[in-house]
Amino acid sequence: MDWNGPSWTAARYRSSTLKQSSSNYAPPASNNPVFYPTWMEGYQTISYRFKSASFPQGRKILTLRTPGAGLGSCLMLPNIGYNPSTFPIHFIRNSNAQVYEDLTYNVPRIFEAFWTQAKVLGVQTNQIIDIDGLSNDLTTKCLVTGEGCIAPNARPPSTRVAIDFNGPTRGGGRVTQSSDVTILDSSVQDNVANTYYATKTFSQYNVNQDLQLFYKEVTSLRRKENDSIDGKVRIAAFLPKYIRGMDVSSNSDGDSYDDNEAVAIYDYNIFLQRIDETEAATL
C-alpha cells in the first residue's frame, strides 16, 4: 500500500511554532469531510477484533517512531493487537441529509477503550467556516465536564481533531499529554447498496514526544439485517526516512527501503449494532 497524500514536507507539523496559533503548525486539513451512508446515522456499539499485523518491507527498518509501535501513536487504533471492550460511537445527520462522524464523541471513546489507563481530558476539532471549506483552526476545547462543548447533533463535520489526555509514561508516573491529528486526504466509494468503502490519509503529532506520524486508514462496511453492520479496518503505517533518521544512522541497514510504501499493516474486524441515545449513555 503506497502513500498518496501530500509530500512529507507539506504534511509535517511544525513543532517549532507550537507557541503560535495552532493553525500555523498543523498541515492543511482536507476541505472535504468524509460522509457516510444514511444507515450510519445515530448511535452504534462497536467491537474491534484484532486480525493480523504484517511488515511488507521487513522488521529491521522499524523504529519506535513507526505508527502503532507505541501506545497512542496511531489515534485511530491506539493500542495495536488489543481487543477492547465494546463501546458506543455516534454519527450525525445534518440538515442537508449528510451523515458524518462525531469526532468529539468518538475519538475519546476509542482512545480510552484501547488504552484503558488513559483518561481524555478535552477534545477540539476544526469546523466549516463557509461554503468553501474548513478552517484549520480548532474550536474551543470541549472538556469532559461538558464545558465548552457543542450539543452533539449541532456539531459540524471535521477533518482535524486534537485531544489532551492523562496517561502513564515509559519513565513511570502519569502526565498530561496532547495529540493532534489531521485528515490530509480522503476518498469514498458507496455506489453499491448496503456497502461502504473509505480511505483516509492522516498526519499525527504527539506533542510531548515531538513525534510525527503518518498513516492511512481503509474502512469497509457492510449493512446486514437487524440493524447490524460488519466491517474491516486496515491501518497502513509509513516511516519517512527523515523521521527514521532521528533514531538511526543514515548509513544503517535498511536505508534502502521505500518510504512511500507502508512499513507496517494492521488489520481489525469490526462489528456494529444500532442502539439509541439512552443505551449509549449507559456504556
Side-chain angles (χ1 to χ4, degrees):
M1 188 175 291
D2 62 349
W3 177 263
N4 56 2
S7 68
W8 300 128
T9 300
R12 291 180 64 178
Y13 279 74
R14 309 294 175 179
S15 58
S16 61
T17 58
L18 283 175
K19 294 183 180 180
Q20 302 177 24
S21 167
S22 60
S23 62
N24 290 341
Y25 71 82
S30 170
N31 273 336
N32 300 308
V34 179
F35 294 118
Y36 288 78
T38 54
W39 38 266
M40 286 294 291
E41 176 190 1
Y43 292 88
Q44 322 261 357
T45 59
I46 185 166
S47 299
Y48 282 79
R49 293 295 176 263
F50 179 69
K51 183 181 178 182
S52 65
S54 59
F55 309 96
Q57 301 192 66
R59 292 175 179 266
K60 69 179 181 179
I61 63 173
L62 304 178
T63 75
L64 289 176
R65 295 182 183 271
T66 305
L71 288 167
S73 60
C74 174
L75 203 60
M76 301 304 109
L77 289 177
N79 187 0
I80 300 297
Y82 182 69
N83 291 323
S85 299
T86 299
F87 60 94
I89 56 174
H90 184 226
F91 289 78
I92 299 167
R93 183 173 182 171
N94 64 15
S95 59
N96 296 321
Q98 296 168 317
V99 176
Y100 51 90
E101 187 174 6
D102 183 355
L103 293 176
T104 300
Y105 184 95
N106 293 355
V107 169
R109 283 165 175 79
I110 190 173
F111 193 82
E112 292 181 358
F114 272 90
W115 191 358
T116 56
Q117 294 177 297
K119 177 64 178 176
V120 175
L121 306 176
V123 59
Q124 297 170 275
T125 63
N126 67 341
Q127 59 183 331
I128 290 177
I129 51 173
D130 54 39
I131 60 173
D132 295 323
L134 292 120
S135 167
N136 231 36
D137 290 327
L138 293 169
T139 57
T140 301
K141 194 170 294 183
C142 174
L143 304 178
V144 291
T145 60
E147 182 182 351
C149 301
I150 301 171
N153 288 320
R155 293 170 186 149
S158 305
T159 54
R160 182 183 173 200
V161 60
I163 61 170
D164 293 337
F165 65 95
N166 181 269
T169 65
R170 285 195 179 93
R174 300 178 66 88
V175 66
T176 297
Q177 305 172 57
S178 299
S179 187
D180 193 329
V181 178
T182 297
I183 299 176
L184 303 169
D185 192 20
S186 64
S187 64
V188 168
Q189 297 178 25
D190 58 357
N191 54 350
V192 178
N194 296 321
T195 63
Y196 175 84
Y197 183 91
T199 301
K200 306 173 194 172
T201 303
F202 292 91
S203 178
Q204 177 171 331
Y205 183 60
N206 288 0
V207 178
N208 299 67
Q209 294 83 23
D210 191 19
L211 180 60
Q212 301 261 322
L213 303 142
F214 300 92
Y215 50 92
K216 180 187 293 186
E217 178 191 63
V218 179
T219 303
S220 61
L221 301 172
R222 181 170 60 94
R223 186 187 189 190
K224 302 175 67 179
E225 297 179 355
N226 303 319
D227 288 325
S228 66
I229 298 167
D230 287 350
K232 298 178 181 180
V233 174
R234 166 170 285 186
I235 294 290
F238 295 85
L239 186 62
K241 291 181 179 179
Y242 84 88
I243 290 180
R244 186 174 184 272
M246 295 176 182
D247 293 331
V248 181
S249 170
S250 61
N251 60 2
S252 66
D253 290 341
D255 277 345
S256 60
Y257 77 100
D258 185 349
D259 63 358
N260 284 305
E261 295 288 335
V263 297
I265 294 176
Y266 315 118
D267 287 301
Y268 272 80
N269 292 324
I270 56 174
F271 309 92
L272 295 84
Q273 181 69 49
R274 181 172 301 281
I275 57 173
D276 60 30
E277 185 174 0
T278 301
E279 290 176 285
T282 66
L283 297 174

